[in-house]
Amino acid sequence: MSNLMMRKTSKTWWTGALALVLALPVLLTGAVSAPQTVEAKAAITTKVQKVKAAGRSFNVQTVSIPKGTPVTVGLAKKQVGQTATLPSIIKAYGAQAAINGAFFEAYHGAPDPYGMLIANGKVIHIGRYGTSIGFKADGSAIMDSLQVSLTGTVTDTNGKSRSWYATFVNRTPSADASISMLYTPERGANVGFKGGTAVVIEKGIVTKKVLNTNVAIPKNGSVLVFTGREKSTSDRFTVGSTVEMNYRYTNAAGQEIPWQDVVTAVGAGPRLVKDGKISVNPASEGFRDPKILNSSGARSGIAIMADGSVMLATVSGATIKEWAAVMQKLGAKQAMNLDGGASSGMYAGGKMLTSPGRLLSNTLVFGGSVQ
């Protein structure tokens, strides 16, 4: 065979073999497999930005969080009403970024939060003032002057129904308070105090009614505690009764707002930016502390940007009005203040960007394995 013939034969064999290899997906599956593409997810990024606002210059530490990044409330020791270091909270939740959240009692008594907290779609603390940021399951964020009311009905074994309400969720009442409180497993193993009458509810059924001696909270239920003049309300609950709970979400004006789909929320405030414009009125949101009204101090804040992403930010010293001007200059569409002062703390990129000067009660944690 001539060299020319050998070359032709080799070329024919190689072309046929190549065709067979290319045809294998069709032979094996009956269709040509479409090429797979992997979309690169936007990363959490950090930046120090110099901002000129309100006649001053500020060095602002920022963290950009892409829309849709997993987020939840990071609780100290994974309980409402505890404190822990920010690094320990970050580690417990496997977070890639974090910022301190709602105000809490840092000086006297139990370290309970003051603001609204929603985790895994469940109200775990009710606040009565300020502004809240909420995240839906689709990753979108909203901001409003959220107010939550908790009411319900209790129906005894004879079919008689009566109403009830709870003023707060997962708080320690003052010794002389006349109040009704709901306690959920997010509080921990027990309600955390003694006093009042406790109604233990499991799977929607009253299983026990006793004097509260730091009653245990069932993992599959909750506990209602009635103190002072509210103790008589506990008479409506008998063992075997069915309990229903209803949450109503409104803004400060009393108008119903669509927060039923919010799975994560933290309340603090005041509002700083609304629809791209500076919007600051701490007194109207219920704030009375001079540290919020007039003083300059370390600040933490959170903003929703025009593209739906979220920006976390801290600054070493600013008044609330200056803080609002800074957030607007940074491009915030919506923005609110978070707890500040010694509580101001932020983490991203594997390091502490702003170190808090105290133990924290609650945070917002992003990315990683948070859920």
Side-chain angles (χ1 to χ4, degrees):
M1 185 181 293
S2 69
N3 289 340
L4 178 61
M5 286 295 293
M6 289 180 66
R7 285 196 294 271
K8 286 183 177 179
T9 302
S10 299
K11 182 177 181 181
T12 302
W13 178 87
W14 172 247
T15 303
L18 181 60
L20 178 61
V21 171
L22 293 175
L24 276 176
V26 178
L27 295 173
L28 295 175
T29 67
V32 176
S33 300
Q36 294 184 348
T37 58
V38 178
E39 292 186 6
K41 291 185 177 180
I44 294 173
T45 58
T46 69
K47 187 177 182 180
V48 176
Q49 302 192 53
K50 191 166 187 177
V51 179
K52 291 184 178 180
R56 290 184 56 197
S57 181
F58 301 86
N59 288 320
V60 187
Q61 178 68 66
T62 63
V63 177
S64 296
I65 310 286
K67 181 181 178 180
T69 300
V71 55
T72 194
V73 176
L75 298 172
K77 301 173 185 175
K78 293 199 170 183
Q79 295 179 21
V80 177
Q82 299 289 330
T83 57
T85 65
L86 180 53
S88 71
I89 297 173
I90 292 163
K91 182 178 180 181
Y93 285 86
Q96 291 179 316
I99 192 167
N100 63 287
F103 297 97
F104 68 99
E105 178 51 69
Y107 302 103
H108 309 288
D112 291 326
Y114 290 124
M116 196 71 64
L117 296 176
I118 297 174
N120 300 314
K122 184 177 180 181
V123 175
I124 61 173
H125 190 270
I126 290 179
R128 297 293 181 191
Y129 67 98
T131 297
S132 297
I133 184 168
F135 297 86
K136 297 183 179 181
D138 65 2
S140 60
I142 56 178
M143 195 175 287
D144 213 325
S145 55
L146 175 65
Q147 306 287 315
V148 174
S149 61
L150 171 56
T151 59
T153 57
V154 53
T155 305
D156 64 24
T157 53
N158 296 317
K160 182 179 179 180
S161 296
R162 301 186 71 180
S163 63
W164 62 270
Y165 71 94
T167 306
F168 289 107
V169 176
N170 293 329
R171 282 194 68 78
T172 304
S174 59
D176 58 350
S178 293
I179 207 163
S180 54
M181 294 268 200
L182 177 73
Y183 296 88
T184 70
E186 288 78 13
R187 177 71 168 182
N190 301 81
V191 297
F193 70 100
K194 298 178 180 180
T197 300
V199 175
V200 180
I201 304 163
E202 297 184 60
K203 296 182 179 180
I205 304 295
V206 176
T207 58
K208 184 166 54 176
K209 186 172 76 172
V210 296
L211 291 176
N212 174 36
T213 56
N214 196 17
V215 165
I217 304 170
K219 292 183 178 180
N220 60 350
S222 56
V223 176
L224 280 166
V225 178
F226 301 91
T227 68
R229 293 183 299 276
E230 291 294 328
K231 283 184 181 180
S232 60
T233 305
S234 67
D235 296 339
R236 303 175 188 183
F237 297 80
T238 56
V239 173
S241 296
T242 301
V243 180
E244 293 184 0
M245 301 183 187
N246 302 296
Y247 292 88
R248 183 170 180 260
Y249 304 87
T250 62
N251 60 20
Q255 302 166 325
E256 290 202 29
I257 53 178
W259 278 65
Q260 292 85 353
D261 296 332
V262 168
V263 294
T264 298
V266 160
R271 186 69 170 260
L272 302 174
V273 177
K274 185 174 183 179
D275 298 330
K277 299 179 180 179
I278 294 174
S279 179
V280 185
N281 194 338
S284 71
E285 294 188 39
F287 291 96
R288 301 290 181 267
D289 192 331
K291 293 179 181 178
I292 297 294
L293 298 179
N294 305 308
S295 301
S296 179
R299 305 290 180 189
S300 293
I302 188 166
I304 304 170
M305 311 304 280
D307 63 358
S309 64
V310 169
M311 180 183 67
L312 314 179
T314 58
V315 70
S316 60
T319 66
I320 284 295
K321 288 184 178 180
E322 290 171 341
W323 195 211
V326 168
M327 284 297 220
Q328 184 195 41
K329 281 290 183 73
L330 287 170
K333 184 177 181 181
Q334 319 292 342
M336 59 179 276
N337 183 58
L338 296 170
D339 191 7
S343 295
S344 184
M346 190 165 65
Y347 167 91
K351 62 182 180 180
M352 203 65 61
L353 303 174
T354 302
S355 296
R358 63 162 65 106
L359 301 178
L360 299 181
S361 162
N362 63 90
T363 66
L364 276 170
V365 289
F366 298 83
S369 58
V370 303
Q371 58 179 350

